Amino acid sequence: MIRLQHLTKSFGAKQVLNGLCLEVPDGRNTVVIGGSGSGKSVTLKLIAGLLEPDAGQVEVDGAVVQTMDRSELAALRGRIGYVFQFAALFDSMTVAQNIGLGLVKQGYDQATIARRVGESLAVVELSGTEDRYPAELSGGMRKRVGIARAIALKPRYILYDEPTTGLDPITSAVMDDLMRRTRDLGVTGLVVTHDMRSAFTVGDRIAMLHCGAIRQVGTVEEIQATDDPVVRQFIEGRPGAALPTPTGGFPE
Amino acid sequence: MASRVAARDGFVAHVGHLSLETFRALADVRTWGPLLVPQMRRLGVDSVPIALFIAVFTGIVLSLLSSYIFTGAVPMYFVGALVGKTIMMELGPVLTGMALAGRVGASIAAELGTMKVTEQVDALETLAYDRNSYLIVPRVLAATLMFPVVTAFAMGVGVFSGWITAINLLDLSSPDFLKGLKLFYRFKDIWFGLIKSASFGAAVALMGCLRGLDAQAGAAGVGLSTTRAVVLGCEAILVLDAFWALVLL
């Protein structure tokens, strides 16, 4: 389980997270929704140990990420797959090299790496693209290669950063299907998005991030039926006046 | 003023921290080992043409300039001495270093800066790689090892072009040029120049990595980092040049 406790993070004068608390249960997809710049991507980077919180802590499987040494952090990253918003593929490497890089680090032999690369590409339905470079792929294909890179390590968790942003509806649906299938393989997913259609499709639980803290957490049905004006405004996509600032702490 | 001092202190601490981290990452040979030779080829071998181009013209100018200075004052065979000493001890390492600060420093900063702003550096870390082992160590080591090699070629070509200039354009024979060249030659001249160039390589690559990994988002951010890397690399070369002159001469 991933447990975020009272996370606070600022960049200069801008406070991004302000007492964020959230639990991500195993074996399910938890979707964090919120406006652009609300701190969703920062939350994922805190979980992966790419950023340090100003206060609060991140627990993964009972261990506090901020107190891990280098080897513990490397071991943690071996259990967490990360799908970046713009895929973040290494542009000087082929698709196969991109997917195999993490496996090389884990010390697998070449035959195992080739087999795992092939399996991962088959899952994202991109078999045959092993020798192509990222520049030769469409945006949707790149994102799928990003997922293949994440699942090749057989992680326990996958963090998805805006997986459907910038994709056409059909490719978005393919991505949603991939996220559901990955969950069905037993992988815990944490998806951050502001695409409500995708959130309702892939999410088992949905958490609304607003003003640096979680405003509401619930099932898809609970969120769809909410009477919280902030959450309603967001999921219905209605422009409106500034909404009240919440306090930190675990939501009811 | 106070903010400028704080910024300078912050920069020095940043360089110190990065240097220590790079040194620590040297132990991770499994990560940087396979990347070293490609970087040596890219940063070193591919830089040979520009270094030789500079060396040819430096030799020509030095030969003509020393002839202009010495005519009627000192024996002309001193042209060989001045060309040899100056190219081996100063102009070979420094001019090659400056040229490579532009080529190598800019290349490293632009590459790492682009990787930073496109989240490729973060992606590397999520795959359990240490960014220092994978990105910094092979580049700094490659530059440290290859700058002296490129400089050695530049020294040879610079002296040779000075010699050819002297026997073709000046009233100087080959034996006279070589007599001057040998007259003040000491083996220290060469290793002094090569040690300097190794330190220039380390500094240029480190500045390129530092500025590249500090790049701010967008093309303008990467461009600014690249410019800063080249300027810092050149400044570092001049400071190190003075340092080695104080320490080794």
Side-chain angles (χ1 to χ4, degrees), chain A residues 45 50 70 74 77 80 82 84 88-91 93 101-102 104-105 107 149 153, chain B residues 21 24 28 30-31 115 118-120 122-130 132 134:
Chain A
K45 289 189 175 182
L50 297 172
R70 286 174 194 280
R77 287 170 176 165
I80 296 181
Y82 200 122
F84 287 84
L89 301 181
F90 305 109
D91 43 24
M93 296 182 190
L101 192 64
V104 171
K105 180 65 180 172
R149 182 169 71 183
L153 291 165
Chain B
E21 287 289 301
R24 178 198 53 74
D28 189 7
R30 231 184 99 219
T31 298
M115 287 185 73
T118 56
E119 294 187 307
Q120 291 177 55
D122 284 343
L124 198 61
E125 295 199 287
T126 62
L127 296 174
Y129 281 90
D130 180 323
N132 301 310
Y134 194 89

Side-chain angles (χ1 to χ4, degrees), chain A residues 196-209:
Chain A
M196 291 314 305
R197 188 202 50 75
S198 175
F200 290 144
T201 306
V202 303
D204 298 306
R205 291 169 76 245
I206 295 180
M208 167 85 186
L209 179 59

Side-chain angles (χ1 to χ4, degrees), chain B residues 6-192:
Chain B
R8 187 199 61 204
D9 291 350
F11 174 73
V12 171
H14 195 172
V15 173
H17 178 73
L18 189 74
S19 304
L20 281 177
E21 287 289 301
T22 305
F23 191 72
R24 178 198 53 74
L26 277 172
D28 189 7
V29 183
R30 231 184 99 219
T31 298
W32 61 257
L35 303 167
L36 181 60
V37 171
Q39 288 296 335
M40 286 171 75
R41 186 171 58 237
R42 212 186 103 204
L43 303 183
V45 177
D46 293 351
S47 298
V48 168
I50 181 68
L52 298 191
F53 181 81
I54 290 171
V56 165
F57 288 93
T58 305
I60 293 170
V61 171
L62 262 184
S63 199
L64 296 173
L65 197 62
S66 52
S67 160
Y68 171 75
I69 295 167
F70 294 158
T71 301
V74 290
M76 286 302 284
Y77 60 80
F78 274 93
V79 169
L82 190 133
V83 168
K85 278 276 183 192
T86 312
I87 285 185
M88 282 187 265
M89 297 185 72
E90 183 63 18
L91 290 186
V94 172
L95 288 184
T96 304
M98 291 282 190
L100 269 57
R103 191 187 176 280
V104 171
S107 153
I108 291 175
E111 184 184 15
L112 298 195
T114 304
M115 287 185 73
K116 167 88 185 304
V117 302
T118 56
E119 294 187 307
Q120 291 177 55
V121 176
D122 284 343
L124 198 61
E125 295 199 287
T126 62
L127 296 174
Y129 281 90
D130 180 323
R131 67 163 73 182
N132 301 310
S133 308
Y134 194 89
L135 298 174
I136 301 181
V137 171
R139 286 167 176 78
V140 171
L141 263 187
T144 307
L145 295 171
M146 290 308 288
F147 267 44
V149 175
V150 178
T151 300
F153 279 114
M155 285 176 180
V157 168
V159 171
F160 182 73
S161 74
W163 178 23
I164 296 298
T165 303
I167 60 176
N168 285 298
L169 300 179
L170 306 176
D171 187 19
L172 193 65
S173 65
S174 266
D176 277 348
F177 183 91
L178 294 174
K179 177 184 171 188
L181 190 63
K182 290 176 190 167
L183 193 61
F184 294 105
Y185 170 76
R186 286 191 297 164
F187 182 58
K188 182 183 179 182
D189 298 349
I190 290 184
W191 66 252
F192 175 74

